[in-house]
Amino acid sequence: MTRLLTLNGIYKNYGKKTVLSNISLQVSKGICLGLVGPNGAGKSTLIKIIASIIQDYRGELRFSDSVRIGYVPQDISLEETVSAKDNLQFFGRLYGLSGKALKERISEVLKEIGLEKREKDKVQTFSGGMKRRLNIGCAILHEPDLIIMDEPTVGIDPQSRQHIFQMVDRFREAGKTIIYASHYMEEIERLCDEAAFIDHGKIVENGTIQQILQKHAVPSIFVKGGNALPDKINEFGSVAAKNGGYIVQTNRPLDAMEFVLQFYKEKNDQLERLELVQPILEDVFFSLTGKELRD
Amino acid sequence: MQDRGIWFWAIILPIIFTVLFISVFTSGLNETESRQVILSIVPGYTVMFVFFIMISMAESLLKDQKIGMVARIASTPLSNHFYLLGKWIPYMYIVFIQIVILLLFGKAVYDVPMEQPLLLMMLAIFLTFMVTGIGLALSVMVKTTNMGIALTQVIALGGALLGGLWVPVDMMPEFLQAVSRFMPQYWAHQGFQDAMAGTLKMADFMKVSLVLLGIGVAGFILALLRPKQ
Ligand SMILES: Nc1ncnc2c1ncn2[C@@H]1O[C@H](COP(=O)(O)OP(=O)(O)OP(=O)(O)O)[C@@H](O)[C@H]1O
Ligand SMILES: [Mg+2]
């Protein structure tokens, strides 16, 4: 795969505080890279460096050829007192579009973000989801090659979220590269090929989602039945109560299941559920960044 | 910009102050003395009140910062000075209209003279340029609206006091008279007064214009030098 972007030893301070420390990362063309990490980890700062908003950092940032960037800010950065169309017009001009080309792009984008019927309405009358969609729309007018989205789905309903997912899918089909910051691990699993975990300004893990899951996620089984599990189950791994049953985290899930089955057979008791739980990225997130609160 | 309240601060309030203070300061004066006071107060209060636009400018730029608009614009190919110009120009319109209305009010109600209308017009433009230039510099430097309001008050009221907008400069103690020369308000006020009375000499007009334009340009450059983040 061709390389689009290389970050090499990036450092960023705010005053005495080091916000990013030795960030090195490669982004291949056409992939979706998830950027994950707790509040204050440094995701937005890294994104702003890539979008050339922050220019006073140390380290190397290199694009392999001329790349048009679309930046979707974490905040809803729109002029709320004017219409959706006016906002698109404003940003279109900033990106150097004008005349007929601008007009065409605006109507394409309005359709893309599902706001063609509300184009004339003031942004302040929009729902959270509509604002989020317009926030994206304002960043894609110039048909960027790299779209950087900083938590684009915060505070919206499932319909808008689904719409945004489908937009990301379409961007990918069109061959665009995407950097997607989010706290929602299921979004990263759904949308991204690769992920970089950031904590306290450092990359603590990165690779394809598959690699990361294989490396960090401990498989587990879920047991629900009439009986408390015998102490011997602890030999397989850690046990925690969940949803009226037990989650057993273990590297030997099949053995653990066999043990539970045997136990219930001997008791001749009712076993409600026994299942293998697929590891998910959320577990990796906690195992990499811990559970204590940030910021 | 969308804020209609701005016209209250820019027009109505200065008119109320002008009327109020003219009635206070001319009571018991004869006709000639009254004319003199009015000729000082009308342009003086105009010069004083135009400075309050800086609060609106600071508010607007801070809001852009807060909602990430500044960062967002910085991510586009457009450079920073286009953004600043885009912010600046609308306020120039407002201030210019403000000056024109306040002077025309003086003409209509108090029949102040306007002997050198062309020079007056140019001074109005230069004053507009200067005030909004300072406003731009202030706007990129303050971190909060309150700081913007506080600094605006210091600049507007301090400059009004020291620049002789309230008390004529020749009635001030000597060392304060020297300080007056450093107040942009002083130059603007003198220029306006003379152009209204018809006594503004070309050399003085040039001097005043240079001071006003120079400060305006300095404000823009200061604003530009300030990094975006
Ligand atoms: N302009 C700034 N001045 C000083 N400190 C800042 C500034 N911007 C960010 N920081 C600090 O840098 C750190 C990283 O912030 P950043 O916004 O990059 O985190 P994040 O991972 O995006 O967090 P979140 O998930 O909350 O958006 C935080 O501790 C934050 O307080
Ligand atoms: Mg962030």
Side-chain angles (χ1 to χ4, degrees):
Chain A
M1 265 194 281
T2 28
R3 177 89 45 86
L4 182 90
L5 166 65
T6 308
L7 300 168
N8 205 350
I10 300 269
Y11 286 82
K12 168 71 192 163
N13 299 339
Y14 279 116
K16 285 214 173 72
K17 190 174 173 195
T18 301
V19 176
L20 291 177
S21 171
N22 196 20
I23 300 279
S24 296
L25 201 61
Q26 281 121 35
V27 184
S28 304
K29 226 174 240 175
I31 68 153
C32 179
L33 170 72
L35 226 46
V36 294
N39 287 131
K43 304 179 294 295
S44 297
T45 307
L46 183 59
I47 280 177
K48 284 181 188 164
I49 287 174
I50 297 172
S52 80
I53 295 162
I54 294 176
Q55 277 147 6
D56 55 334
Y57 58 89
R58 283 186 294 133
E60 186 191 17
L61 169 71
R62 201 173 61 236
F63 289 96
S64 52
D65 44 14
S66 75
V67 174
R68 271 179 306 188
I69 299 176
Y71 163 65
V72 181
Q74 178 169 354
D75 304 306
I76 293 172
S77 308
L78 301 167
E79 186 54 65
E80 304 227 353
T81 53
V82 299
S83 71
K85 199 171 174 178
D86 288 341
N87 273 277
L88 290 168
Q89 213 138 33
F90 174 69
F91 282 103
R93 290 221 186 85
L94 293 192
Y95 285 117
L97 299 171
S98 62
K100 202 167 159 237
L102 176 60
K103 224 173 137 184
E104 276 174 19
R105 263 313 275 165
I106 288 176
S107 62
E108 278 170 27
V109 168
L110 279 167
K111 211 168 146 217
E112 172 77 50
I113 60 179
L115 286 178
E116 64 267 60
K117 291 200 187 75
R118 299 290 302 268
E119 57 170 289
K120 294 215 171 63
D121 296 344
K122 284 189 179 173
V123 176
Q124 62 201 9
T125 67
F126 284 8
S127 70
M130 292 162 78
K131 287 181 190 173
R132 281 280 165 203
R133 268 139 56 202
L134 182 59
N135 206 35
I136 299 174
C138 288
I140 56 170
L141 286 152
H142 58 310
E143 301 187 73
D145 314 297
L146 171 63
I147 303 171
I148 312 177
M149 306 169 94
D150 197 350
E151 299 191 30
T153 59
V154 170
I156 63 177
D157 65 17
Q159 281 81 2
S160 271
R161 180 182 302 253
Q162 208 54 46
H163 189 106
I164 290 175
F165 287 179
Q166 283 159 5
M167 278 171 71
V168 174
D169 289 340
R170 283 195 293 272
F171 295 155
R172 308 230 14 219
E173 279 160 26
K176 299 186 186 304
T177 309
I178 292 158
I179 296 178
Y180 190 102
S182 178
H183 290 128
Y184 303 117
M185 292 308 122
E186 72 278 10
E187 289 190 356
I188 301 291
E189 282 198 76
R190 152 85 171 73
L191 296 171
C192 300
D193 314 280
E194 295 181 18
F197 283 72
I198 302 182
D199 196 17
H200 298 299
K202 295 194 178 75
I203 293 191
V204 290
E205 184 58 86
N206 87 87
T208 66
I209 308 275
Q210 277 314 315
Q211 283 165 353
I212 293 173
L213 281 176
Q214 267 166 22
K215 185 164 163 198
H216 293 280
V218 182
S220 52
I221 63 169
F222 179 68
V223 188
K224 193 170 178 182
N227 274 295
L229 289 170
D231 284 346
K232 201 157 175 282
I233 190 78
N234 286 313
E235 287 173 14
F236 291 91
S238 65
V239 183
K242 193 179 173 189
N243 299 340
Y246 299 94
I247 283 276
V248 185
Q249 270 204 342
T250 168
N251 286 316
R252 296 185 288 139
L254 296 183
D255 292 345
M257 284 173 108
E258 198 171 17
F259 170 81
V260 172
L261 266 181
Q262 201 60 41
F263 171 72
Y264 269 87
K265 254 190 199 160
E266 277 165 19
K267 286 239 164 200
N268 201 9
D269 206 347
Q270 181 86 14
L271 180 57
E272 244 178 83
R273 275 169 83 180
L274 173 61
E275 55 198 34
L276 188 62
V277 181
Q278 285 303 326
I280 56 168
L281 215 50
E282 180 125 359
D283 305 328
V284 179
F285 184 80
F286 285 127
S287 81
L288 281 171
T289 60
K291 291 205 172 180
E292 98 243 33
L293 290 172
R294 303 303 166 84
D295 267 13
Chain B
M1 239 10 43
Q2 287 71 26
D3 174 19
R4 270 190 219 98
I6 205 168
W7 294 112
F8 173 78
W9 298 105
I11 308 284
I12 312 290
L13 203 66
I15 285 179
I16 293 174
F17 268 75
T18 306
V19 171
L20 203 72
F21 280 86
I22 284 180
S23 76
V24 170
F25 285 119
T26 57
S27 71
L29 297 185
N30 66 32
E31 174 72 16
T32 330
E33 288 166 337
S34 293
R35 297 258 121 240
Q36 207 53 48
V37 168
I38 290 169
L39 184 61
S40 172
I41 285 186
V42 168
Y45 281 40
T46 303
V47 170
M48 176 167 90
F49 274 98
V50 287
F51 277 84
F52 288 99
I53 197 70
M54 300 200 296
I55 294 175
S56 304
M57 294 180 78
E59 265 174 353
S60 166
L61 269 88
L62 282 168
K63 186 181 148 238
D64 279 1
Q65 287 257 315
K66 188 161 159 260
I67 66 169
M69 193 62 111
V70 176
R72 176 160 216 171
I73 290 167
S75 80
T76 70
L78 192 99
S79 62
N80 195 27
H81 60 267
F82 278 106
Y83 167 69
L84 286 176
L85 277 176
K87 282 274 135 182
W88 194 3
I89 290 164
Y91 288 100
M92 289 207 233
Y93 277 112
I94 295 179
V95 171
F96 183 71
I97 293 170
Q98 181 187 13
I99 296 173
V100 169
I101 292 180
L102 292 180
L103 292 182
L104 286 179
F105 173 81
K107 176 88 193 151
V109 176
Y110 297 105
D111 196 29
V112 290
M114 292 203 175
E115 296 297 329
Q116 294 167 298
L118 194 68
L119 295 188
L120 210 50
M121 180 69 98
M122 288 173 75
L123 286 177
I125 293 173
F126 298 157
L127 174 64
T128 299
F129 181 77
M130 177 197 72
V131 166
T132 48
I134 299 178
L136 206 60
L138 175 113
S139 301
V140 301
M141 286 182 201
V142 295
K143 295 236 156 52
T144 63
T145 311
N146 280 339
M147 213 166 133
I149 293 174
L151 273 175
T152 300
Q153 279 169 348
V154 169
I155 294 171
L157 301 178
L161 178 66
L162 295 172
L165 304 187
W166 291 340
V167 182
V169 173
D170 33 353
M171 282 165 74
M172 296 206 264
E174 218 157 279
F175 77 98
L176 277 185
Q177 290 194 23
V179 174
S180 296
R181 306 294 188 276
F182 289 96
M183 296 295 133
Q185 281 96 333
Y186 167 81
W187 296 97
H189 188 213
Q190 294 300 318
F192 273 103
Q193 246 176 302
D194 290 348
M196 288 163 85
T199 55
L200 183 59
K201 293 192 205 70
M202 213 45 190
D204 287 332
F205 169 74
M206 296 302 281
K207 201 151 110 195
V208 170
S209 304
L210 272 179
V211 169
L212 298 183
L213 285 174
I215 295 173
V217 170
F220 184 52
I221 291 173
L222 266 177
L224 269 185
L225 288 179
R226 173 94 197 164
K228 289 173 277 196
Q229 284 289 309

